[in-house]
Structure formats: C-alpha cells, structure tokens
Amino acid sequence: MIEFHGVEKEFPGRGGGAAVKALDGIDLNIGRGEIFGIIGRSGAGKSTLIRVVNMLERPTSGRVTVAGIDMNALDAAGLRAARRGIGMIFQHFNLLSSRTVYDNVALPLELAGLKRSEIRAKVEPLLDLVGLSDKRDRYPAELSGGQKQRVGIARALSSEPKVLLCDEATSALDPETTTSILRLLADINAKLGLTIVLITHEMAVIKEICHRVAVMEAGRVIEQGDVFDVFTAPRHPTTRSFVSSVVGAELPDTLVERLSAEPLPGGNPVLRITFKGALANTPIISQLTRRFGLDLNILHGRIDHIQGAPFGTLVVEAVGSAEAVQAAITFINVNNLSVEVLGHVPANLRAVG
C-alpha cells in the first residue's frame, strides 16, 4: 500500500551550517489494511517519515508510492486529489475552536464542495462511529482530550481515505484515554479495512494494536518486523531498550545492584528464562526441579500477551551443583525455550519483584 524506496530528506543547517539529514535511505513497505507502527526517540526522523507520505515534506531523494501512485511525480492538482485518500490526525488535535464538533468534521467536505445533504449523510455516521453523536453541537473547549481526538479521527475519515496517518495521536492523553483511542483505531481498521500508520515514542502503544513495527534511529530504520517477533527477540540495543520496560525484561534496581558478573563463593547463578507462543505454558520450573534436583528461587517475572500470543520472562536463582545447572540450561535450550545467565548472586537472595 505504501512503499518507501531509498527515501532521504535533508533540511538546511542553521546559519548556513551543514545540512541536517532527517531521513537516511529509508526502504520500507507497509501492507494494505495493516496497522503499522513507527517508533523512535525524539529526533529519530519518524515524524518526517510520516509527512513524506502525503508530501507535507518532499523527500530530497528517493520515491514514495501510495496505492501504486508515485507521490513525488504529482503536480499540485494531482497531489490534492491523492491527499483526499490519506487522512491524518495529530497530537494536538488541530480543531477549529469556533466550529462545533459537527462542523469540524464537516469542514473537509465543505471545502470539497459537497451539498449540505451529502455532508450530513457522511458526518452523522462518522460521529456515531467515534461515539460522539451526543456531542455534535458542542465546541472543542467543552470536550475532553479524548473527545477532541475522536473529532480529529472523524474529520480525517470524512473524505473516505484508504490510509490514516497518526502522528503521536495519543501522546497528549492520559493512559486510560489512550487505551480507548487505540481501541477505536483498531475497530476502524477492522471495520473499514483502513491502512493505519502510527507514529509514537511509546512501545506500549505499538504492543496494543500494531501488526508490524519499524524502529528508527538517526533517520534510519534499524529494525523492523512483526510486533510479536520484535518484542520477543529484539536484535538492536535501541529496540531492546524500548521493549524491556514493556515486557518485564528490565530487572529491578535492587537485583541489578546484587548481580555479579563473576561466580561468588557460595553464591548461585541467576537465569532468565523466556517463554513465548505455544511454549509459554510449558511447566519448565517443575521439570527442572524434578529432573536436575535444583531449587529455583523466583526473583522476578512477568507473563503478558502480544498480538494474542502469550509471552513471558522469569528470572530465577538456581540453587544446585554447577553440573546440574548446566544440564538444566541444555534442557531448556533443547525444548526451544530461551535462557541466559544474567550473573551471580549471594546465597539466600529473596525475591525482589
């Protein structure tokens, strides 16, 4: 649906200084009907990337196609027509304070020259879709942040786009409202078959609704793939940093302080066992205890679901002989689970989280 081919974007440097490269050779394909997340820290280039889709920012080089249309090659009239098929919502809503909810949603249709009856036929179902039929005559100042974003979504859908671009659409919202907006977007994706591109700096947002994700850093895509695969086996250090706090892979500070890289006299190794997919229900702890005579002290752990599939990590202190621990590690690997030795702790360490 959306393809980036060698896309680069440079901005002039301040005061005649060196140009700033915001996008550096982006190659990316976004499929029709999927929810695609793009994540990165501030300055990574993610907002610039989404703005080259509808040519709010023209790439310095490379090509962007949407539904087979080369966006770079369009003249002004062609670009206006193409943009009607690309909706966009923003972090700060961009509503007109002097217009009611109904009139904000109707604005793009008025500008397109539709009759009042045609506008009404489009706007009223959209207000119902986003749950704001009872707020149609309210003004933005009378709405909550979540309600304002729902108006923005309805307005973006008024031209019946095939693509919806979401630029940090939930960043200004509280967690509960964020969840409701993300569920609305997922519902719209399912009902309308809309392709949604979602820009965020929060991995929890990606986890909630995205099918695939691209991670950006310094204008480049450093990792991409199915959300489940990226969450359960991140390859790049930046991706691991994003993922760790969401899936519970980040260790509590109290445990980190006690970990030693080298074995301790009378101490025990600390293992992190990773469960995913169908293997998440494997009773591995009881098996290790019975087979190898180990006592496993649980120090930290979390079980979650990503894209409907279970995933979890369990950090344990393994109390037993070195031979038994090594045999247990081999057994875990043979059973297609993941295990790593995080370090060593003094004996009798209590659970820390």
Side-chain angles (χ1 to χ4, degrees):
M1 186 67 176
I2 305 173
E3 298 180 359
F4 300 86
H5 303 277
V7 173
E8 300 198 353
K9 175 64 180 179
E10 290 186 352
F11 293 100
R14 291 183 178 180
V20 177
K21 182 169 285 190
L23 300 177
D24 188 2
I26 301 293
D27 291 303
L28 200 61
N29 293 322
I30 298 173
R32 186 182 302 274
E34 75 173 331
I35 304 177
F36 193 95
I38 300 173
I39 190 168
R41 297 188 177 94
S42 297
K46 56 189 186 297
S47 290
T48 302
L49 180 63
I50 202 173
R51 289 169 66 87
V52 301
V53 174
N54 54 9
M55 295 290 130
L56 290 177
E57 296 287 355
R58 285 192 172 269
T60 306
S61 61
R63 188 161 55 95
V64 180
T65 63
V66 180
I69 298 172
D70 186 347
M71 299 294 289
N72 308 58
L74 296 176
D75 58 17
L79 186 55
R80 284 195 298 272
R83 282 174 174 165
R84 284 195 286 272
I86 305 172
M88 191 166 188
I89 59 176
F90 306 89
Q91 177 180 356
H92 296 296
F93 322 126
N94 291 5
L95 303 181
L96 296 178
S97 61
S98 60
R99 295 178 69 99
T100 65
V101 167
Y102 181 97
D103 291 336
N104 265 283
V105 178
L107 180 59
L109 303 175
E110 293 175 11
L111 296 176
L114 273 66
K115 299 178 181 178
R116 286 188 178 182
S117 59
E118 294 173 320
I119 292 174
R120 188 183 309 111
K122 288 178 178 290
V123 173
E124 290 182 349
L126 287 173
L127 292 178
D128 185 56
L129 177 65
V130 301
L132 290 179
S133 294
D134 61 334
K135 300 290 190 298
R136 56 174 289 147
D137 297 321
R138 299 287 183 88
Y139 289 88
E142 302 175 272
L143 304 177
S144 67
Q147 290 168 339
K148 290 176 184 177
Q149 193 57 280
R150 287 172 182 266
V151 177
I153 292 170
R155 182 183 57 190
L157 296 177
S158 63
S159 60
E160 300 180 357
K162 299 299 180 185
V163 173
L164 180 62
L165 307 178
C166 307
D167 190 2
E168 297 279 8
T170 61
S171 294
L173 305 176
D174 61 76
E176 184 177 352
T177 306
T178 292
T179 298
S180 71
I181 293 298
L182 293 177
R183 287 175 179 170
L184 174 61
L185 291 174
D187 185 53
I188 289 170
N189 168 258
K191 288 180 177 177
L192 305 181
L194 208 60
T195 301
I196 297 178
V197 184
L198 194 153
I199 298 293
T200 184
H201 62 273
E202 301 173 274
M203 208 63 172
V205 170
I206 300 292
K207 172 179 171 290
E208 185 74 23
I209 63 167
C210 293
H211 304 133
R212 291 196 300 136
V213 61
V215 184
M216 290 191 68
E217 185 173 80
R220 298 179 180 180
V221 173
I222 57 174
E223 189 163 352
Q224 63 174 299
D226 292 342
V227 166
F228 185 84
D229 294 337
V230 171
F231 267 77
T232 58
R235 300 187 304 274
H236 194 278
T238 298
T239 310
R240 288 196 291 271
S241 175
F242 275 124
V243 166
S244 61
S245 61
V246 178
V247 300
E250 194 172 60
L251 297 178
D253 291 340
T254 50
L255 175 56
V256 173
E257 291 169 1
R258 295 176 179 236
L259 274 178
S260 168
E262 301 298 327
L264 300 171
N268 301 304
V270 174
L271 312 179
R272 176 159 54 201
I273 306 170
T274 301
F275 309 78
K276 60 182 178 179
L279 299 172
N281 296 319
T282 302
I284 193 68
I285 298 300
S286 60
Q287 291 182 18
L288 296 179
T289 299
R290 289 197 307 269
R291 283 175 177 263
F292 306 104
L294 292 175
D295 289 328
L296 299 175
N297 178 26
I298 297 175
L299 305 178
H300 180 65
R302 178 170 174 172
I303 300 294
D304 207 339
H305 283 76
I306 300 171
Q307 291 293 304
F311 170 76
T313 59
L314 194 61
V315 177
V316 298
E317 174 190 8
V319 183
S321 69
E323 293 78 9
V325 171
Q326 187 55 54
I329 291 174
T330 301
F331 178 79
I332 294 170
N333 288 325
V334 167
N335 282 273
N336 296 316
L337 297 171
S338 174
V339 61
E340 59 181 317
V341 179
L342 299 178
H344 304 264
V345 293
N348 302 317
L349 180 67
R350 293 186 176 183
V352 293

